[in-house]
Amino acid sequence: MSRTNAQIPEGTQLLRLATAGSVDDGKSTLVGRLLYDTKSVLADQIDAVTRASVDRGLDTPDLSLLVDGLRAEREQGITIDVAYRYFATPNRTFVLADTPGHVQYTRNTVSGASTAQLVILLVDARKGVISQTRKHAAVLALLGVPKLVLAVNKIDLVEDPETVFRDISAEFNSLTRSLGWDAEDVLEIPVSALHGDNVAVRSTNTPYYDGPTLIEHLESVPVDAEPHRVGLRFPVQYVIRPRTAEFPDYRGYAGQVAAGEVSPGDEVVVMPSGVRTTVSRIDTADGELDSAHAGRSVTLVLADDVDVSRGDTITSVVDAPEPIGEFDATVCWLAEKPLQPGARLLLKHGTRTTQAIIGGLVERFDEQTLTSTQSPESLELNEIGKISVRVAEPIVADDYNVNRHTGSFLLIDPAGGNTLAAGLVGDAIAAVELGETASV
């Protein structure tokens, strides 16, 4: 069991991270090691893992057993999507999205990394950078993940670890540069998750490495929760009207601040109508607030009796985005049935859901070769491409490269309600250094 909120030290910073990697790279063991070394599992769980490890003839606890049960269920389709882990150190608290490693679960990597400020990408030192590594790195680049750590795992199993680590680091650095990361945003660390080398404790077995341990880096890496500052973005989730004797005329607009901040007295504009008003109060269950920042769920009370409904967005006046009815977007297709031009779907952006038509498929991105195919006939399961979209009701969106929260959306099957695609407003593929393109 992870720490409860009561056990998390007060005043620490929150870092959202995710893990990614191929099958058998040791991701389960690394996640188990992080939980174990930060004392985020209970003593009876450690005892159970120790007993199970002894029964298997192992000399040391197999920490992968702390997480493998859930992963096995997930990969058999019993549970859905991504498993979230919570742990803490004296300096930071962490929310870790643990994603599956199989190729067919690329869509889960998209889900887990979509809100991550940092991703730990694992490779097996004996295999180096493989096709799945390149695929994950390309997906993470498209998602705009700010920071990346390459954990070169099982470094204790190669004959010349220094040369292996140097060669893998050089190849990975070349890949990440082509994908748009700056050198200071990427760090390679040689680790042995099984023995704990360079995870929480600096290892004497890697004298060629003088950088931080993994946990030291996670505690200290500078990560801005909002790397691209924009003004207030407040999608309205619910209109609160008690109509009771105590609150006969109360009208509040509940939701979560998606970007920026808001304070009483701020002038705001309700989109897409464009009506301006002023915030008179910020209410919560615990009382009024002087201000609310991104991630805080609150109820805004406005000075004027304006028409505001679920799906509207309350924004700052200075940089309010124009409502858009047609736009280009980058999508990762998540369904077995291919996406084709002319498809009629539902688009969910923030709290607004509207009908949408796929006008055309502009290009398909090959994350292995970093090339694109122009005007493909379809997008298959797990494929990434640029499409044009037309919506029945305008949405109030920022380009994904400006703000990840207000620049993302889902495409939904109108018949069954299943999620068909994860989408990014704008051309995320343009940020990637492409090779030759082809037409079909």
Side-chain angles (χ1 to χ4, degrees):
M1 178 182 296
S2 302
R3 293 182 183 220
T4 64
N5 290 336
Q7 295 171 302
I8 294 176
E10 294 184 4
T12 58
Q13 294 179 322
L14 174 66
L15 179 68
R16 296 184 180 275
L17 66 151
T19 57
S22 186
V23 175
D24 296 330
D25 279 349
K27 190 151 55 65
S28 298
T29 304
L30 182 65
V31 173
R33 172 64 64 180
L34 286 171
L35 297 176
Y36 179 80
D37 286 349
T38 57
K39 298 178 174 58
S40 299
V41 288
L42 300 178
D44 59 345
Q45 289 179 292
I46 295 299
D47 290 342
V49 166
T50 301
R51 289 194 300 271
S53 301
V54 170
D55 291 342
R56 295 183 178 188
L58 302 177
D59 296 329
T60 58
D62 182 358
L63 297 179
S64 69
L65 297 177
L66 290 171
V67 296
D68 260 348
L70 180 58
R71 173 172 287 105
E73 292 176 351
R74 180 167 70 253
E75 292 179 351
Q76 293 171 27
I78 298 174
T79 60
I80 61 172
D81 205 64
V82 178
Y84 288 89
R85 322 277 179 187
Y86 305 87
F87 63 98
T89 67
N91 297 321
R92 269 183 175 163
T93 59
F94 303 90
V95 179
L96 187 152
D98 183 19
T99 65
H102 288 125
V103 175
Q104 65 266 36
Y105 289 97
T106 298
R107 58 189 183 275
N108 303 85
T109 301
V110 171
S111 175
S114 61
T115 59
Q117 299 159 289
L118 178 147
V119 170
I120 304 170
L121 183 56
L122 271 77
V123 296
D124 187 328
R126 299 169 299 178
K127 301 175 183 177
V129 176
I130 60 175
S131 61
Q132 183 72 336
T133 311
R134 293 180 173 275
K135 185 181 186 74
H136 280 146
V139 169
L140 299 177
L142 293 176
L143 290 172
V145 174
K147 303 289 184 179
L148 193 60
V149 173
L150 182 74
V152 183
N153 193 26
K154 305 182 183 181
I155 195 68
D156 55 309
L157 300 182
V158 296
E159 291 185 3
D160 186 358
E162 181 176 0
T163 300
V164 168
F165 178 67
R166 184 179 65 243
D167 291 346
I168 291 175
S169 297
E171 183 178 0
F172 190 70
N173 265 295
S174 176
L175 172 64
T176 54
R177 282 196 301 271
S178 70
L179 290 171
W181 275 288
D182 295 329
E184 60 268 23
D185 295 327
V186 180
L187 176 68
E188 299 84 21
I189 304 177
V191 303
S192 171
L194 180 63
H195 300 293
D197 292 350
N198 293 330
V199 179
V201 179
R202 191 177 303 276
S203 175
T204 58
N205 299 321
T206 57
Y208 51 88
Y209 175 73
D210 58 2
T213 66
L214 178 57
I215 288 182
E216 286 174 345
H217 183 64
L218 295 181
E219 285 186 311
S220 61
V221 61
V223 178
D224 193 336
E226 294 184 76
H228 303 286
R229 296 289 181 178
V230 296
L232 174 66
R233 303 291 187 268
F234 184 81
V236 176
Q237 178 76 24
Y238 186 71
V239 180
I240 299 177
R241 296 206 62 192
R243 296 180 178 175
T244 62
E246 186 179 1
F247 302 102
D249 301 316
Y250 184 92
R251 186 192 297 265
Y253 306 101
Q256 185 179 80
V257 181
E261 60 182 295
V262 60
S263 301
D266 287 352
E267 187 180 12
V268 294
V269 57
V270 180
M271 304 297 285
S273 67
V275 176
R276 293 191 179 192
T277 183
T278 303
V279 176
S280 64
R281 199 164 74 240
I282 304 174
D283 288 343
T284 72
D286 299 320
E288 295 185 32
L289 297 179
D290 294 329
S291 65
H293 299 263
R296 188 67 189 266
S297 295
V298 297
T299 298
L300 300 185
V301 178
L302 304 180
D304 303 301
D305 187 13
V306 297
D307 184 15
V308 183
S309 304
R310 171 181 166 84
D312 291 345
T313 302
I314 299 173
T315 78
S316 57
V317 172
V318 175
D319 65 349
E322 289 292 332
I324 53 176
E326 296 187 35
F327 57 95
D328 287 341
T330 304
V331 298
C332 177
W333 190 246
L334 311 177
E336 297 286 348
K337 183 179 179 181
L339 172 65
Q340 295 179 327
R344 294 178 177 269
L345 309 171
L346 293 179
L347 183 144
K348 186 178 189 305
H349 173 262
T351 57
R352 179 180 290 267
T353 300
T354 181
Q355 295 178 336
I357 298 177
I358 307 305
L361 307 185
V362 181
E363 63 181 310
R364 180 175 59 235
F365 176 62
D366 187 330
E367 68 279 355
Q368 297 295 335
T369 60
L370 300 186
T371 60
S372 66
T373 299
Q374 301 299 307
S375 303
E377 294 182 357
S378 64
L379 287 182
E380 306 286 339
L381 174 65
N382 286 329
E383 288 187 335
I384 296 169
K386 178 182 174 182
I387 65 174
S388 61
V389 184
R390 186 167 74 252
V391 291
E393 300 176 5
I395 62 173
V396 182
D398 294 289
D399 190 285
Y400 183 83
N401 290 324
V402 173
N403 187 271
R404 295 166 75 184
H405 298 287
T406 55
S408 57
F409 63 90
L410 298 174
L411 292 176
I412 298 171
D413 181 359
N418 296 322
T419 300
L420 302 177
L424 319 176
V425 176
D427 186 5
I429 298 175
V432 178
E433 183 179 306
L434 296 177
E436 297 295 326
T437 60
S439 300
V440 295

